[in-house]
Amino acid sequence: MIRTRAPHRRALLSGIGITLLWTALPRSLCAAPADETRLAYRLDLWRTYSRKTRNLVARYTSKRRSSMLVAPLRNAGVLAFTAPGTLLLRDDDIRGSTTRIAAGRVAITPNDAALPRSIVHAPDTSAGLRWLRDHLLLLFAPVELSALRADCRVRAPRGRTPRLAFLPEAGSVVRKSIRSLEVSLDPVGGAISRVDIAEAQGDSLTLEFSDRRQNVPASELAAILQTAGQPSVR
Amino acid sequence: MSSEHPPDDHAPPRDPVSPNDHDHGHGQTTRTERSLPPTRDQPKTVPRQRAAPLLAALWSIIAVLAVISVVRRPDVPRLDGRRDTLTPLAHRANPAKMWLLLRLANTHSDALAIRGADPSTGSLLAAGVAIAQALPDERVPVAPPANAVAGWLDVHGLYLLPEETHDELANRLDPDRIATRIQGLRAVLSSPLFGVSGIEARRDPLALRELLHAVAGRLGHLNAPNRDPMRPTPTGNGDLLAANGNLLAVQIHSDRSSSSVANDARAAVAGLGVELSVVGPAATVERGRAHLSRTIGFACVATVAAWTFIISLASRSVRGTLCLAWFATGSTAILLVVMPRLDVFSLPLLVTLVGFAVALVLADERQGRRFPAVGLIAAMALFPLAICPYPVWKEGAVWWVLGALITLVPAGTVVRGLGVWVKHRNHAARHRFVPTPPPRISSSIVLALIAAGIWSFGQLPHIASDAVASPDAELQSDQHDLARWFFDPANTVEIRGYGDTAAAALERAAADTRLLAYLVPTRAVRLDSPGTFVATDRELLLRRKRLTQLGIMEKMRSLRLALESQGLRPNAFAESVAGVSSLDATPNPQAALDSALGPWIRRYLSSDKNGVYVRSFVQLRPGTAAESALAADAHRSLTAFGLRVAGWRDAAQLGDTLILTLATGLWLGAFISWVSSRKLAIALGLAATAAAAAAATVIALHLVFNHGIGPLALPGLLLAAATTFFAGLPASTAALAKTPISVPRLLWAVAALVAGVLALVLSAEPIWQRAAVVLASGAAIGAGLGVFVAPGVCLALSRARTTGHGSDERNRP
């Protein structure tokens, strides 16, 4: 009896093993190349648009979700970017604010000049601020892919919309303030259509872009920047 | 030691330094000796003649072994690289404390170009974390944990606000100001960078913590962001990040060598694109030891060459030069082998001692009757250093006397014995004359020099014992970076607040830091003390009263209304509101010890026989003198330590130390001179001239070398006095006895001493160069005054004494 049943058991176990290998192995071997391919495709897509950017003007709508707010805070405004390192986001509402990144410095000022200005940390002393500042700039700048991928892990989440997720390195102090920065790209042109910032405390901010104009005349851009740089008086 | 008889007018003058009264080492007696009546010393001459070559042979064997030992087996562990041994032990930097300086390696990328002038410091911060993980027991956070400080300030921030900010606090709690502030908060919420901007909306919606910027520098490592752009900031890990973002300072406490710690740290940060260097006492000692082992050989060779050169000029004899040069070389090697510890201050003393032995032999070749006296003067030359407060000089004084036993005592016999072996015959010294400088002019010179020396001493700047930097260029650069971007450890003053218990000591530290708070920011960069985080009982009473008057509970209702009006949820700010409105939780010492700050505070706690104490650190600005922090009457109760404090105290006591040490040296020299000559005029005259020589050395430092004065000058001044006695005793005795002596030979002898010391100027060690200048000046001036001025002064004193006795006798009925 034993002699006759042993070959059957061995054959059964071998069959199960081969089946498992057949189902699991190809996936594990093929998954990484698929992710990498998708990431490479999306990075190329991003590069298609950004490499032509000398400056950029766009409209945006923002939505902040926070435990401090009774309801999400919505705003609309204008974004102006000048390569390589100037970025300005100005809310249209006088109750909103203007965020300006220039020469490595960061300023957040209320649009209403009567309101007190809060003190923002120097980027050198805040790893989170430095990381987010750099990556917001790099998203719009005509830089090499290696620069975009520095200081972070880049993922290409699945889905129909081409997206790129930038995550701070494991063990980095940046993770104490930023969880992820996710960017949605226009499937055709590669322009950035949406930015999602997930903060470590649970707050999040979404920026959706429209009316993008690449490489506008310098005079027009200067006018936008000048207007945006001046606080309003209610 | 033979006594000098007074000159007899009826007898022919006796020549104590006659060229013919000396044995030439061949067992032959000279014509003069045969003609003289036998003395008590004569029977001992023959055994001495036989003993000298044997002793010289034995000495040479020992010297050869010593030279081989020095050349073949340099005993590196005996080399001590410390450069702070002039400073009292309590004021020296903790040798276990060191700083790892992490720099960004030179990299260039698009990302850096985008960021403009600000390179990334992410890798620096990561390196700091990696080191903390690799050296968990040795790495010490510089700043208190950020979360612990934030938690403590959330609850006790209002109590810690200084009184001068209370008016501004009342303004900020005005209902209209509260409404405006909350509108501003809502406005910046829309920014994508709000979450990382450092605006702590939940913890501090009214931005009351900005008021603490008034005490920036006085409250640990809290900075005022817009006012102190150059100050380092603590990282979340507790290290210090330089304002330029390119440098990170990590504090290490370890008993291991700095190179061992550096190797471990380098392994931890490998691949992060970060360069690492070590600064601290341990690194200084290790670099100093390496530098000493590199330079000491050249310094010794240069010194021996200088001696040989002068000896050859003085003796005009190849065999005589060989004998004495070999003696100098052998003595140097024996001393190098015998000394248990050889530091940077040892070599100048060693060279001076051997130089004295060479000078003694050169001077004695024709003037043997003074040998015991001048030998004793040389042996006691730097012994007065034993009473000065500088540890290394105290130790050096003892070793000077022991070294004198090894070199000065056998010098004459060994050189004579060597002369026998090489069949060297001494020749009579030429140019013998009686030194008779004009007494009045000599006395005037002495008085003028002493007066000018006292004036010059008041003009000379004080040079602290730690003023000589390490000669290692790399270490100097690292120390400069640490001082520029973080703070200068040498400018840190440690204040100890004692108490019976830890809480009492902490309260005392709090009181001490309040006394010192006025120094920040003009004279001090920072007060680093756990005492800054607690309030004293008196402060608590006053501030509670003031805060109660503000009606904070009512103000919090206005805040709630303002939050609701802007679409914000008041409950999200409940923790902050509770912290502000509750005055029951006070920042007293015991609460601080029990809080999350406790482990950090305990690192500042120590104990000794006086009780428990808390260490507080004042980081003085460069150029700020310690007395500005500590000299005020109100601050005399502060127990302060540190290099600057030691320098300040040294500057205050240097005059007393100098007078006491010099007086001891003068007394010793005068006593030996009196015992040798039995003439008070010689003893007093030489003492006065020696004082003038010391004063002249001070003048030379002031006017010629534009040098300051400090502990390093002390041996030079003593040497000036000693060489005055050394050269002046034979000259003065000859002047009073009217017997000719060979003055050039005496000057050549001192020239050998000066040349040996001066050869150290060629070395690459700044301390040796400075010491060489001071010692050579002192020796040259002392010898010059001893030969050309001291006899005149002695003559003047002798005549005055004689005149006094004569007039007494005339007045006697």
Short mmCIF file of all heavy atoms in Angstrom, two decimals, chain B residues 788-812:
data_model
loop_
_atom_site.label_atom_id
_atom_site.label_comp_id
_atom_site.label_asym_id
_atom_site.label_seq_id
_atom_site.Cartn_x
_atom_site.Cartn_y
_atom_site.Cartn_z
N PHE B 788 79.01 93.28 31.99
CA PHE B 788 79.40 94.67 31.76
C PHE B 788 78.78 95.66 32.74
O PHE B 788 79.18 96.82 32.76
CB PHE B 788 79.02 95.08 30.34
CG PHE B 788 79.73 94.26 29.30
CD1 PHE B 788 79.05 93.40 28.48
CD2 PHE B 788 81.12 94.35 29.17
CE1 PHE B 788 79.71 92.63 27.54
CE2 PHE B 788 81.79 93.58 28.22
CZ PHE B 788 81.08 92.72 27.40
N VAL B 789 77.78 95.26 33.49
CA VAL B 789 77.13 96.20 34.40
C VAL B 789 77.26 95.74 35.85
O VAL B 789 77.56 96.54 36.75
CB VAL B 789 75.64 96.39 34.02
CG1 VAL B 789 74.93 97.28 35.01
CG2 VAL B 789 75.52 96.97 32.62
N ALA B 790 77.04 94.45 36.06
CA ALA B 790 77.02 93.95 37.45
C ALA B 790 78.31 94.28 38.21
O ALA B 790 78.23 94.69 39.39
CB ALA B 790 76.77 92.44 37.44
N PRO B 791 79.50 94.14 37.62
CA PRO B 791 80.70 94.48 38.39
C PRO B 791 80.69 95.93 38.86
O PRO B 791 81.11 96.23 40.00
CB PRO B 791 81.83 94.23 37.39
CG PRO B 791 81.29 93.25 36.43
CD PRO B 791 79.85 93.58 36.30
N GLY B 792 80.20 96.83 38.02
CA GLY B 792 80.13 98.23 38.41
C GLY B 792 79.19 98.43 39.59
O GLY B 792 79.49 99.17 40.54
N VAL B 793 78.05 97.77 39.54
CA VAL B 793 77.09 97.90 40.65
C VAL B 793 77.71 97.32 41.93
O VAL B 793 77.58 97.91 43.02
CB VAL B 793 75.78 97.17 40.29
CG1 VAL B 793 74.79 97.26 41.44
CG2 VAL B 793 75.18 97.73 39.03
N CYS B 794 78.37 96.18 41.80
CA CYS B 794 78.98 95.56 42.98
C CYS B 794 80.08 96.47 43.55
O CYS B 794 80.20 96.62 44.77
CB CYS B 794 79.57 94.20 42.62
SG CYS B 794 78.30 93.02 42.16
N LEU B 795 80.83 97.08 42.64
CA LEU B 795 81.87 98.01 43.10
C LEU B 795 81.25 99.18 43.84
O LEU B 795 81.74 99.60 44.90
CB LEU B 795 82.67 98.50 41.89
CG LEU B 795 83.77 97.57 41.37
CD1 LEU B 795 84.33 98.10 40.07
CD2 LEU B 795 84.87 97.43 42.41
N ALA B 796 80.15 99.70 43.26
CA ALA B 796 79.49 100.84 43.90
C ALA B 796 79.00 100.48 45.28
O ALA B 796 79.19 101.23 46.26
CB ALA B 796 78.32 101.30 43.02
N LEU B 797 78.37 99.30 45.37
CA LEU B 797 77.86 98.88 46.69
C LEU B 797 79.01 98.62 47.66
O LEU B 797 78.92 98.96 48.84
CB LEU B 797 77.02 97.60 46.51
CG LEU B 797 75.64 97.79 45.90
CD1 LEU B 797 75.00 96.45 45.60
CD2 LEU B 797 74.75 98.58 46.85
N SER B 798 80.07 98.04 47.16
CA SER B 798 81.22 97.75 48.01
C SER B 798 81.83 99.05 48.54
O SER B 798 82.13 99.18 49.73
CB SER B 798 82.24 96.95 47.21
OG SER B 798 83.39 96.74 47.98
N ARG B 799 81.96 100.03 47.62
CA ARG B 799 82.54 101.31 48.06
C ARG B 799 81.62 102.01 49.05
O ARG B 799 82.08 102.58 50.04
CB ARG B 799 82.78 102.22 46.85
CG ARG B 799 83.98 101.78 46.05
CD ARG B 799 84.13 102.64 44.83
NE ARG B 799 85.14 102.07 43.92
CZ ARG B 799 85.34 102.48 42.69
NH1 ARG B 799 84.60 103.47 42.20
NH2 ARG B 799 86.26 101.92 41.94
N ALA B 800 80.32 101.94 48.76
CA ALA B 800 79.37 102.58 49.67
C ALA B 800 79.47 101.95 51.05
O ALA B 800 79.42 102.64 52.09
CB ALA B 800 77.96 102.44 49.13
N ARG B 801 79.60 100.63 51.06
CA ARG B 801 79.68 99.93 52.34
C ARG B 801 80.97 100.30 53.07
O ARG B 801 80.98 100.57 54.26
CB ARG B 801 79.65 98.42 52.06
CG ARG B 801 79.27 97.63 53.27
CD ARG B 801 78.60 96.33 52.86
NE ARG B 801 78.34 95.56 54.07
CZ ARG B 801 79.12 94.60 54.49
NH1 ARG B 801 80.20 94.27 53.82
NH2 ARG B 801 78.82 93.95 55.60
N THR B 802 82.04 100.34 52.27
CA THR B 802 83.34 100.69 52.85
C THR B 802 83.30 102.12 53.39
O THR B 802 83.74 102.40 54.50
CB THR B 802 84.44 100.58 51.79
OG1 THR B 802 84.30 99.33 51.14
CG2 THR B 802 85.82 100.66 52.42
N THR B 803 82.71 103.02 52.59
CA THR B 803 82.61 104.42 53.01
C THR B 803 81.79 104.52 54.28
O THR B 803 82.13 105.23 55.23
CB THR B 803 81.94 105.25 51.89
OG1 THR B 803 82.56 104.92 50.67
CG2 THR B 803 82.05 106.74 52.16
N GLY B 804 80.70 103.75 54.31
CA GLY B 804 79.84 103.77 55.50
C GLY B 804 80.60 103.31 56.72
O GLY B 804 80.55 103.94 57.79
N HIS B 805 81.33 102.20 56.56
CA HIS B 805 82.10 101.68 57.69
C HIS B 805 83.16 102.68 58.11
O HIS B 805 83.36 102.94 59.29
CB HIS B 805 82.77 100.36 57.30
CG HIS B 805 81.83 99.20 57.37
ND1 HIS B 805 81.11 98.92 58.50
CD2 HIS B 805 81.47 98.29 56.44
CE1 HIS B 805 80.35 97.85 58.26
NE2 HIS B 805 80.54 97.45 57.01
N GLY B 806 83.80 103.30 57.08
CA GLY B 806 84.88 104.26 57.36
C GLY B 806 84.34 105.46 58.13
O GLY B 806 84.92 105.90 59.13
N SER B 807 83.18 105.98 57.65
CA SER B 807 82.62 107.14 58.33
C SER B 807 82.18 106.78 59.73
O SER B 807 82.32 107.58 60.66
CB SER B 807 81.44 107.69 57.52
OG SER B 807 80.44 106.70 57.47
N ASP B 808 81.67 105.54 59.88
CA ASP B 808 81.29 105.11 61.24
C ASP B 808 82.51 105.10 62.15
O ASP B 808 82.43 105.54 63.30
CB ASP B 808 80.66 103.72 61.19
CG ASP B 808 79.28 103.77 60.60
OD1 ASP B 808 78.76 104.91 60.47
OD2 ASP B 808 78.73 102.70 60.23
N GLU B 809 83.59 104.57 61.54
CA GLU B 809 84.80 104.48 62.36
C GLU B 809 85.33 105.87 62.71
O GLU B 809 85.78 106.13 63.82
CB GLU B 809 85.87 103.67 61.62
CG GLU B 809 85.60 102.18 61.69
CD GLU B 809 86.50 101.41 60.76
OE1 GLU B 809 87.43 102.00 60.20
OE2 GLU B 809 86.24 100.21 60.60
N ARG B 810 85.20 106.79 61.70
CA ARG B 810 85.67 108.15 61.96
C ARG B 810 84.83 108.85 63.00
O ARG B 810 85.30 109.61 63.82
CB ARG B 810 85.64 108.96 60.66
CG ARG B 810 86.85 108.69 59.75
CD ARG B 810 86.95 109.79 58.71
NE ARG B 810 85.80 109.81 57.84
CZ ARG B 810 85.67 109.03 56.77
NH1 ARG B 810 86.63 108.17 56.45
NH2 ARG B 810 84.62 109.12 56.02
N ASN B 811 83.50 108.56 62.94
CA ASN B 811 82.61 109.21 63.91
C ASN B 811 82.72 108.60 65.29
O ASN B 811 82.22 109.18 66.26
CB ASN B 811 81.15 109.11 63.43
CG ASN B 811 80.97 109.90 62.14
OD1 ASN B 811 81.73 110.83 61.89
ND2 ASN B 811 79.99 109.50 61.34
N ARG B 812 83.30 107.37 65.30
CA ARG B 812 83.37 106.70 66.61
C ARG B 812 84.36 107.44 67.53
O ARG B 812 85.46 107.78 67.09
CB ARG B 812 83.84 105.27 66.40
CG ARG B 812 83.46 104.38 67.56
CD ARG B 812 83.82 102.95 67.22
NE ARG B 812 82.98 102.44 66.16
CZ ARG B 812 83.32 101.41 65.39
NH1 ARG B 812 84.48 100.82 65.54
NH2 ARG B 812 82.50 100.99 64.46
#
